[in-house]
Amino acid sequence: MAATPYTTGLNRIADGCYAWFEPPGSWGLANSGIVVAGDEVLVVDTQNDVPRARNLRNAVREVAGPREITTVVNTHADGDHWFGNLLFEEARIFATEEAAAQMRELRRDPRIIRKTAEAAPGPALRNFLTWRADMFDYTGWRPVFPTDTVSTSKSLTVGGIQVDLIPVGPAHTTGDVLVHVPEHGVVFAGDIVFHRTTPMVWTGPLSNVVAACELILSLDPAVVVSGHGSAAERTGIRDLCDYLTMVHEHASARFAAGDTSFEAFKSIDLGRYRLWAHGSRVFQAINAVYRELDPDGEQVPYHEVMETVLAHDAY
């Protein structure tokens, strides 16, 4: 079956369910979800900056009219999935306990991104942060944190329908959560799923990301809204599992041979996955495998990870 040709912005994906796509799903360009049920609205992930959050808010009004936005879910703590919360602060905002704690640390405050760029320790990271400062607009931004947290699976009722929040971290980050709308066969996967674009695995282990993908498949969804890329069908989720398994096998073999993670990165053959954008992100997936195999070993610092990834990437 051919994939549905989804477009930029608002797309209807099922009865009462919509996705807001920010192609091509590159750095900082994340997807959001909207569920309209009864007289209520749920929003999944609130975009990266103020204008994008406002566009999402306008899209909600387009499909939901005067219905109240009662519930927001932030699927994890990466800023491109929650920095838009200030446009939805009248709602209850859910995240995992781990994600909420990370948000409150605000380790990468977007209001000072240009200063952060000026102080970056390497040219690739400096150029990237400068690009982000030009790309995204945080004028008037302030942090709005989750009001409610979950540590185990929780079912909400939104406008009379069931919405399940399923924590699956640590995986992409320390605190990922899936949003499942069983009545309509929809899963909003956040960054557990990068669809036909190379995933970034900040935390791992990779086996947890694969397990989360297998859990998604077990829910038998008709459509899965990825965090980056477009919507995925079962074949797309299976491709992601196969990619992660390939990376894990390669990294494990190179670890056993005594290679550094950078040496493992330089020697990996991505095969058909080289067609996916941002292939150099595999370096961080390899680092996650090394951390899994040697938790007490020296970890590659964030700025070195980003310098390596960005030196081989186009965004």
Side-chain angles (χ1 to χ4, degrees):
M1 183 174 61
T4 304
Y6 295 108
T7 60
T8 301
L10 185 66
N11 291 259
R12 182 182 180 277
I13 57 172
D15 185 24
C17 296
Y18 303 83
W20 179 272
F21 290 118
E22 286 279 340
S26 183
W27 297 95
L29 295 172
N31 301 327
S32 298
I34 303 168
V35 179
V36 182
D39 59 356
E40 296 185 53
V41 180
L42 175 145
V43 173
V44 181
D45 291 333
T46 58
Q47 291 295 306
N48 191 340
D49 66 0
V50 176
R52 285 174 174 78
R54 187 173 295 115
N55 289 341
L56 176 62
R57 178 86 189 205
N58 290 339
V60 172
R61 289 292 165 239
E62 180 180 337
V63 298
R67 293 178 179 86
E68 184 181 1
I69 302 170
T70 58
T71 310
V72 167
V73 180
N74 297 140
T75 58
H76 60 289
D78 288 352
D80 50 350
H81 296 260
W82 75 274
F83 281 167
N85 280 2
L86 76 162
L87 268 294
F88 300 89
E89 63 181 327
E90 77 277 14
R92 295 177 70 187
I93 302 176
F94 287 85
T96 65
E97 292 179 356
E98 296 83 0
Q102 273 194 309
M103 292 174 192
R104 290 185 180 281
E105 291 176 11
L106 204 60
R107 288 179 290 183
R108 286 182 274 280
D109 189 326
R111 293 169 293 191
I112 59 171
I113 189 170
R114 203 168 294 279
K115 290 183 179 179
T116 304
E118 294 169 357
L125 182 56
R126 181 164 55 251
N127 291 340
F128 170 71
L129 291 173
T130 300
W131 170 80
R132 289 198 69 156
D134 293 336
M135 179 75 173
F136 300 105
D137 182 0
Y138 299 105
T139 303
W141 185 84
R142 55 185 169 78
V144 172
F145 300 114
T147 60
D148 297 75
T149 60
V150 297
S151 57
T152 58
S153 294
K154 180 179 181 66
S155 292
L156 308 176
T157 300
V158 177
I161 70 168
Q162 178 179 326
V163 177
D164 296 328
L165 309 186
I166 309 171
V168 291
H172 170 69
T173 64
T174 60
D176 306 288
V177 66
L178 305 174
V179 182
H180 181 214
V181 189
E183 182 173 323
H184 299 308
V186 174
V187 173
F188 298 98
D191 284 3
I192 291 299
V193 175
F194 286 63
H195 184 48
R196 304 242 161 88
T197 186
T198 307
M200 195 68 171
V201 183
W202 290 117
T203 302
L206 264 62
S207 56
N208 281 9
V209 185
V210 172
C213 289
E214 295 287 0
L215 173 58
I216 291 171
L217 290 172
S218 76
L219 299 173
D220 196 27
V223 61
V224 177
V225 177
S226 65
H228 296 268
S230 187
E233 297 172 345
R234 294 184 67 87
T235 54
I237 305 300
R238 182 55 58 198
D239 281 348
L240 179 57
C241 290
D242 291 346
Y243 166 84
L244 293 167
T245 299
M246 179 272 294
V247 173
H248 195 284
E249 290 175 352
H250 172 81
S252 297
R254 299 326 307 160
F255 177 87
D259 288 356
T260 66
S261 63
F262 183 75
E263 289 169 333
F265 166 63
K266 296 300 289 185
S267 66
I268 193 168
D269 179 0
L270 293 175
R272 64 189 177 95
Y273 303 110
R274 67 167 50 91
L275 299 176
W276 290 3
H278 312 295
S280 58
R281 289 175 178 170
V282 72
F283 179 52
Q284 178 56 11
I286 291 170
N287 285 320
V289 176
Y290 273 55
R291 182 166 56 246
E292 178 184 358
L293 295 173
D294 185 13
D296 297 324
E298 185 176 355
Q299 306 302 317
V300 181
Y302 168 80
H303 71 273
E304 291 185 16
V305 169
M306 293 300 288
E307 192 68 22
T308 297
V309 169
L310 296 168
H312 299 81
D313 195 10
Y315 40 85

